[in-house]
Amino acid sequence: MKPGNAAGQPHSLAQKAGLVLTLGSFLLLWPGVTQPIMTVDASLRMFGISPSLFHETRSVWQTVSKLHELDYTLVSVMILSFSVIIPLLKLALILTAWFSRQPGLWKVIAVLGKWSMADVFVIAMLVAFFTAQATAEVSATLQPGFYWFLGFCLCSVTAGILLEKSRS
């Protein structure tokens, strides 16, 4: 069976671009989750010296693991679900919908896309970053994983817009 839309027509340029961006976004997801996303340093200024109290660099995956170790399992499962599992499930459904002629799958993808909180996660990271920068004793530095994850979010959102517009 040749790939096409539900009406049996060939895929449009917007649909093809949406698929390419979807595939590209998932190439960005792996380093976005496994590479360090932020380094946080905290110090206490006393008597003219500032000894380091805290220095930590973590990836999303390391954060999920650490939260689980500290018995914050619900939070770790939520982060893992919203930033990894749901996006991967969405990719599988997009590929299935692309090669099948089942228009109902696109409705499932649209609902599932609303549960993918990756973009919200990036905004939360930026808020944490700028909040830490506003405090003299705490500093934060964005690491490469943040930019990989941001690239994933931008490609994924753009792909979703292209795939949605091409279906209407």
Side-chain angles (χ1 to χ4, degrees):
M1 178 185 310
K2 289 169 73 175
N5 61 23
Q9 302 297 316
H11 291 291
S12 70
L13 183 58
Q15 288 172 319
K16 291 175 183 173
L19 180 67
V20 168
L21 282 172
T22 298
L23 294 172
S25 73
F26 289 95
L27 293 175
L28 298 171
L29 181 60
W30 177 255
V33 170
T34 59
Q35 296 295 307
I37 54 172
M38 187 184 299
T39 298
V40 178
D41 289 301
S43 60
L44 179 62
R45 191 178 318 268
M46 288 187 334
F47 309 114
I49 58 171
S50 297
S52 178
L53 300 174
F54 180 81
H55 175 85
E56 188 122 8
T57 300
R58 285 211 179 123
S59 67
V60 172
W61 188 254
Q62 290 169 324
T63 301
V64 167
S65 296
K66 186 66 171 180
L67 286 168
H68 178 68
E69 286 173 24
L70 296 172
D71 289 328
Y72 293 107
T73 304
L74 178 62
V75 177
S76 69
V77 167
M78 289 174 63
I79 292 171
L80 183 65
S81 296
F82 293 137
S83 62
V84 179
I85 295 171
I86 291 175
L88 290 175
L89 181 58
K90 184 178 170 186
L91 171 65
L93 287 172
I94 287 172
L95 292 175
T96 302
W98 182 266
F99 291 105
S100 74
R101 293 197 171 128
Q102 299 174 9
L105 280 177
W106 291 108
K107 291 177 184 167
V108 174
I109 292 166
V111 169
L112 191 62
K114 294 186 186 333
W115 283 94
S116 177
M117 301 288 287
D119 48 347
V120 174
F121 182 72
V122 167
I123 297 301
M125 290 296 302
L126 282 173
V127 169
F129 173 74
F130 287 119
T131 301
Q133 293 295 1
T135 307
E137 291 81 21
V138 179
S139 66
T141 308
L142 295 176
Q143 298 296 321
F146 174 82
Y147 298 104
W148 286 107
F149 201 83
L150 177 63
F152 157 75
C153 290
L154 294 174
C155 284
S156 181
V157 167
T158 305
I161 291 168
L162 289 171
L163 290 169
E164 181 65 31
K165 283 190 180 274
S166 65
R167 283 191 10 248
S168 19

